[in-house]
Amino acid sequence: MTTLIDIQHACYSYRQGEALTLEDISLCIARGEYLVLLGHNGSGKSTLARHCNALLVPDAGRVLVDGIDTRDEVKRQRVRDCVGMIFQNPDNQIIATIVEDDVSWSLAVRGMRLPEIQERVAWALNAVGISHLANRPPQKLSGGQRQRLAIAGVLALRPQCIIADEATSMLDPLSRREITNLLHQLRQTYQIAVIQVTHLLEEAILADRVVVMERGRIIQEGTPAMIFRDLDMLRALKLAIPEPLEFAHRLRGLGYPISPEALTLEAIAREVAGV
Ligand SMILES: Nc1ncnc2c1ncn2[C@@H]1O[C@H](COP(=O)(O)OP(=O)(O)OP(=O)(O)O)[C@@H](O)[C@H]1O
Ligand SMILES: [Mg+2]
């Protein structure tokens, strides 16, 4: 797999002379990869995420997106179209009074012709599963549907990567799972890379790779099974351990040889049953 985003020794502070918010971060994100960025409040996740689509540029080091240096102001729009971002509150991203207009707006300002706009809007709404809501006002949609709309708005620009920065944190547990499932589905169907920023370990279980941040640094990196092996490290970072992981830990203590790859209750049940 080739590299889509290449972060090289990036350092960043919000105010000159103050402590670094990002301290010598080096990280490559591959095309089509599903990466979860984990860490508790204030560890620098959002700051790093904002470096991936040139909302912020590093004070030292550099970030290349599809080969473009994010400091290159002339090509900044290309970087932003390549890496779309959705945030905690979808309402900050919704501007139109009708769902389909909201998706078409960013295409129209880029000078796209109507047939192409219509085709992309229909495609994006279908991809996120809200085609049936195309003519509704966004404020009539549920929280989960509004987050789907925000994703459609980003998707219509045909990005190579979507960053979801705590995009599920305002949702109920069911909608939260649905949005995470949707991101996985978009990655699978369209080979779009996903960077999911979260402090919820359960959202990291299906990722290709998990990167753990603490105080502006990357302190761990690996597959979910590798990261979840060290529950004490995760507890020390004040991350809530999901029930299945605690359960598997207890079973191992009782002598059951549960594989570190078993991260869901179903997988653990299969291990115990020996199937
Ligand atoms: N706009 C800003 N101006 C000044 N300092 C900021 C700004 N945004 C974030 N910070 C500080 O930078 C540090 C990292 O913040 P950041 O938002 O990147 O962390 P985070 O891991 O995303 O946290 P959270 O889980 O709360 O979203 C924190 O100490 C925060 O207070
Ligand atoms: Mg954040």
Side-chain angles (χ1 to χ4, degrees), residues 40-47 49-50 88 165-166 197-199:
H40 78 102
N41 290 355
S43 55
K45 305 180 297 292
S46 296
T47 307
R50 286 177 156 89
Q88 197 169 27
D165 188 354
E166 308 268 4
V197 178
T198 184
H199 58 270

Side-chain angles (χ1 to χ4, degrees), residues 29-51:
I29 293 123
R31 290 176 197 280
E33 178 173 16
Y34 200 112
L35 184 116
V36 162
L37 201 52
L38 207 62
H40 78 102
N41 290 355
S43 55
K45 305 180 297 292
S46 296
T47 307
L48 181 59
R50 286 177 156 89
H51 276 75

Side-chain angles (χ1 to χ4, degrees), residues 144-164:
Q145 289 168 335
R146 286 207 296 279
Q147 199 54 282
R148 283 170 190 265
L149 172 56
I151 296 172
V154 163
L155 207 54
L157 293 166
R158 303 246 157 96
Q160 294 193 52
C161 178
I162 294 179
I163 302 175

